[in-house]
Amino acid sequence: MSSTATETGTTFAPAADTLGAVLMPGARPPRPSAWSASVTFGWRAMLKIKHVPDQLFDVTAFPIMMTLMFTYLFGGALAGSTTEYLQFLLPGIMVMSVVQITMYTGVAVKTDIEKGVFDRFRTLPIWRPAPMVGYLLGDLFRYAMASVVILIVGLVLGFRPGGGPVGVLAGMALLVGFSFALSWVWTMFGLLLRSEKSVMGISMLVLFPLTFLSSVFVDPRTMPGWLEAFVNVNPITQLVDAVRALMAGTTATGEIAWVLASGAVFIVVFGTLTMRLYNRK
Amino acid sequence: MRKRSTDLAIETSGLVKTFGDNRAVDGLDLSVPAGTVYGVLGPNGAGKTTAVRMLATLLRPDGGEARVFGHDVVREADTVRGLVSLTGQYASVDEDMTGMENLILLGRLLGHAKPAARDRAAQLLEAFGLTEAADRQVKNYSGGMRRRIDIAASILNTPELLFLDEPTTGLDPRSRSQVWDIVRIVVAHGTTVLLTTQYLDEADRLAGRIAVIDHGRLIAEGTPGELKSSVGAGSVHVRLRDPAQRPEAERVLARELRAQVYLEADPVALTVRVNGEESDRAAAEQAARALSELAASGIVVDDFSLGQPSLDEVFLALTDRPATTEEAAA
Ligand SMILES: Nc1ncnc2c1ncn2[C@@H]1O[C@H](COP(=O)(O)OP(=O)(O)OP(=O)(O)O)[C@@H](O)[C@H]1O
Ligand SMILES: [Mg+2]
């Protein structure tokens, strides 16, 4: 890991025999399956986390800060005590943090396009969506990591979910699954927009109102009618309610069905648009 | 089995790509014989990268047709991808990853099992003199090493057709000649190479045939010899000690080289474009004779050189105007 490259090239002379040997590899292996290609790209995403660990900051420090901040900021005023409020807030803040992290998917796609590695991937004879699925597989890891970090902070602060480990896991699985589906929106923007900044800008423009104007912080019934109407149709509200119910061990079949359905729609619509742009580009 | 010398590796007819009003590639017809190095020569903005990207299935043509080993680049894109590799003008490896990781990634994506991908990566790093740098992130590589890892990545599965987009732009002379050697070895093993460049001498050294393009159009095509004879074998540059002797020197040079003599802004410098019909050797002989004639006439020559024609001179000869770069045109 030296900072400046010592030029090994000064002594390098391409030799006909060593180079010739690698040019006669025998039969080419068959193409990898769709799954294997996607997993390979997922492996790349993990390697990138290893080489550029600062990106984990967004999935650790930021969620911790959000949890602490909102618990103590609103706890007293909204629910009388912070521990009581935490039971309500924690699933919400988990949804909010993870959903906001999805925007980095678009940024990662855009960065790769600008660097030119993307061109190489696009000239490979592989299942076309594999690079995109690979990003998202890497993201699954980050979503899971953020969820776990928030859960731990919550447990330390006094979060006692009624649904037990099974309920909590189910809630986190639903959240991570929905975030995977939502990420296709950002891969589309990553392919569509001109710069990393605009991808970031659009993502924030969509995600901030969507996450704040939801049932993350307060019960929508306390809101003015027009706002309550919006909050109730916001898919994030459905997701928060579903995750909250799963963690609390109460039933929320309607919300869960709604979340799964909207996730499927995201994948079909934005997945298709993403792949169309990817092939076109 | 890799002998296809009678086939065409690339065949395009009327290929067009427009960006808004800009016709980046404007009706390009190319025929690239298999098993050779084919040079595409042109200044900045000529449309080289755009043409290569269409042939490598990265861009969809707006008009015309292109075939790679007989397969249409749009309708049979997937088949074409199985035959070609591209080393882009800008690094097409992942800079955050190490050289080793980059090659393993590609090996896996090209269908090698994990151990095989690792072996192949190690072999390639060795052959490209990068073993020591294997575990370093590519962003810490020098320009020459970057080019080599990029080319290594492109030949991982020994493609039938390799695109090299300006592979030596920005490299020092040693790294350039390393890339040239690699290209020669790759083509000797049966891979067809299409190489774009801004340097006539590079195309001359490597390519069997050269296409000269400007503003997306083909303006000349042929063997390096044919092109150079249409351009002139090069230029003789002479610097005198005494500016007063320049008129005399001009007469001697015009007589000996039978060509127009240009008087440079520098009052002691003269340039003569050597006659095109002669081969390089003859041009050198003529120049040597002219030099001794100058000495015989008592003219003191401080500096003398015989230069290859530059891309600018090629353009001057082919289009009667200098190569317009993108910036100059805008
Ligand atoms: N994606 C794009 N969008 C708009 N214009 C483009 C795009 N790509 C290329 N162009 C334009 O098309 C023309 C040809 O560009 P191209 O990159 O093919 O030239 P080039 O011969 O490769 O030049 P260079 O030697 O600088 O690499 C230029 O005028 C360029 O500005
Ligand atoms: Mg270019």
Side-chain angles (χ1 to χ4, degrees):
Chain A
M1 276 287 166
S2 65
S3 52
T4 53
T6 45
E7 176 59 280
T8 45
T10 44
T11 53
F12 169 68
D17 48 345
T18 46
L19 239 178
V22 294
L23 285 165
M24 288 181 288
R28 287 177 201 164
R31 294 175 178 204
S33 66
W35 172 247
S36 147
S38 305
V39 170
T40 304
F41 279 109
W43 172 72
R44 165 173 180 262
M46 301 304 290
L47 274 178
K48 294 200 68 134
I49 293 179
K50 188 181 106 190
H51 286 302
V52 193
D54 349 349
Q55 53 182 304
L56 282 185
F57 195 73
D58 301 322
V59 301
T60 52
F62 192 64
I64 292 176
M65 189 191 74
M66 301 263 277
T67 312
L68 291 174
M69 207 169 71
F70 288 110
T71 305
Y72 291 104
L73 196 62
F74 295 152
L78 295 179
S81 87
T82 48
T83 347
E84 208 170 308
Y85 183 52
L86 193 64
Q87 312 309 317
F88 177 82
L89 175 72
L90 195 104
I93 206 85
M94 189 184 279
V95 168
M96 179 166 175
S97 301
V98 174
V99 164
Q100 287 187 353
I101 292 168
T102 60
M103 73 177 161
Y104 294 107
T105 311
V107 178
V109 171
K110 189 76 221 167
T111 313
D112 273 355
I113 294 176
E114 281 170 358
K115 290 246 174 82
V117 226
F118 220 62
D119 282 351
R120 171 151 339 254
F121 297 154
R122 287 177 59 230
T123 53
L124 292 174
I126 50 173
W127 185 56
R128 300 244 90 200
M132 293 294 153
V133 176
Y135 287 112
L136 300 179
L137 289 178
D139 287 342
L140 283 181
F141 170 80
R142 302 189 314 133
Y143 304 156
M145 176 139 178
S147 311
V148 169
V149 166
I150 293 175
L151 179 68
I152 292 172
V153 175
L155 291 174
V156 169
L157 295 182
F159 176 56
R160 296 294 172 261
V166 175
V168 169
L169 275 181
M172 286 178 17
L174 187 71
L175 169 59
V176 170
F178 178 85
S179 303
F180 173 85
L182 181 64
S183 295
W184 288 99
V185 178
W186 313 129
T187 55
M188 182 196 75
F189 280 119
L191 289 164
L192 195 62
L193 298 177
R194 286 207 173 270
S195 74
E196 248 171 81
K197 277 215 176 71
S198 46
V199 176
M200 194 88 171
I202 289 266
S203 320
M204 292 219 213
L205 202 68
V206 175
L207 285 175
F208 272 84
L210 226 50
T211 46
F212 278 94
L213 302 180
S214 70
S215 59
V216 166
F217 297 105
V218 289
D219 190 323
R221 278 170 300 187
T222 64
M223 299 172 186
W226 56 272
L227 185 56
E228 189 188 346
F230 174 82
V231 168
N232 281 334
V233 297
N234 179 355
I236 302 299
T237 301
Q238 307 288 331
L239 177 64
V240 171
D241 291 349
V243 173
R244 201 169 265 154
L246 283 168
M247 291 192 174
T250 58
T251 49
T253 329
E255 283 85 351
I256 293 172
W258 209 92
V259 168
L260 293 177
S262 57
V265 170
F266 277 133
I267 293 181
V268 170
V269 173
F270 292 98
T272 311
L273 289 173
T274 296
M275 286 323 297
R276 179 162 301 175
L277 284 168
Y278 178 81
N279 283 323
R280 228 3 114 64
K281 195 77 189 168
Chain B
M1 131 213 158
R2 286 167 58 78
K3 273 276 166 288
R4 293 172 175 260
S5 48
T6 54
D7 306 349
L8 285 179
I10 300 174
E11 203 179 359
T12 73
S13 58
L15 199 61
V16 173
K17 183 74 202 181
T18 53
F19 296 109
D21 303 338
N22 180 359
R23 297 178 77 81
V25 171
D26 193 4
L28 196 60
D29 300 311
L30 287 181
S31 298
V32 176
T36 61
V37 180
Y38 193 89
V40 174
L41 185 65
N44 286 137
K48 304 182 294 293
T49 299
T50 307
V52 164
R53 289 173 62 83
M54 284 192 279
L55 293 171
T57 77
L58 289 170
L59 269 182
R60 198 180 280 259
D62 292 325
E65 277 215 330
R67 298 178 162 275
V68 169
F69 292 109
H71 301 284
D72 189 281
V73 296
V74 178
R75 282 191 299 278
E76 299 169 87
D78 200 51
T79 312
V80 172
R81 286 185 200 116
L83 299 169
V84 306
S85 265
L86 166 69
T87 294
Q89 184 169 358
Y90 309 101
S92 21
V93 289
D94 191 326
E95 306 217 313
D96 289 330
M97 292 176 22
T98 68
M100 187 72 173
E101 287 165 352
N102 265 293
L103 294 181
I104 293 177
L105 174 73
L106 278 165
R108 299 281 292 135
L109 292 173
L110 289 165
H112 294 273
K114 255 203 196 102
R118 180 165 284 279
D119 288 351
R120 184 113 187 99
Q123 251 181 5
L124 279 163
L125 288 165
E126 175 73 38
F128 281 81
L130 293 168
T131 305
E132 276 171 58
D135 296 322
R136 238 188 284 157
Q137 281 173 289
V138 171
K139 66 173 160 216
N140 296 327
Y141 282 22
S142 70
M145 292 159 77
R146 246 172 233 242
R147 270 287 134 186
R148 298 207 305 269
I149 189 83
D150 221 328
I151 297 175
S154 288
I155 64 162
L156 202 135
N157 257 10
T158 319
E160 298 291 332
L161 170 61
L162 173 62
F163 296 104
L164 297 174
D165 194 5
E166 298 193 22
T168 66
T169 302
L171 297 190
D172 67 20
R174 191 196 309 265
S175 301
R176 291 185 78 192
S177 77
Q178 288 168 355
V179 170
W180 291 342
D181 287 343
I182 292 168
V183 171
R184 291 192 187 102
I185 296 168
V186 168
V187 80
H189 281 81
T191 294
T192 308
V193 176
L194 184 137
L195 166 127
T196 76
T197 179
Q198 304 186 23
Y199 310 112
L200 183 62
D201 72 313
E202 179 163 290
D204 184 18
R205 272 163 209 262
L206 293 173
R209 296 187 76 80
I210 300 174
V212 183
I213 64 171
D214 189 27
H215 294 295
R217 295 176 163 278
L218 187 68
I219 57 174
E221 207 267 355
T223 63
E226 286 165 359
L227 275 180
K228 281 202 292 186
S229 65
S230 72
V231 173
S235 303
V236 173
H237 304 278
V238 177
R239 284 178 63 85
L240 308 175
R241 175 151 310 161
D242 180 2
Q245 291 184 320
R246 191 155 84 157
E248 173 69 9
E250 185 185 355
R251 269 193 301 281
V252 172
L253 289 171
R255 187 181 71 223
E256 288 302 319
L257 297 172
R258 287 186 301 282
Q260 175 79 44
V261 179
Y262 299 94
L263 301 177
E264 307 273 334
D266 180 348
V268 294
L270 305 95
T271 295
V272 195
R273 280 252 297 286
V274 181
N275 210 319
E277 279 74 52
E278 320 287 338
S279 70
D280 274 349
R281 201 177 130 74
E285 277 168 15
Q286 283 181 59
R289 203 170 54 224
L291 190 61
S292 62
E293 280 302 312
L294 286 174
S297 317
I299 297 169
V300 186
V301 175
D302 265 353
D303 188 36
F304 171 87
S305 64
L306 178 60
Q308 284 253 324
S310 64
L311 180 58
D312 232 13
E313 286 166 311
V314 175
F315 273 77
L316 213 52
L318 292 171
T319 64
D320 284 328
R321 56 176 182 74
T324 44
T325 63
E326 223 174 317
E327 302 80 67

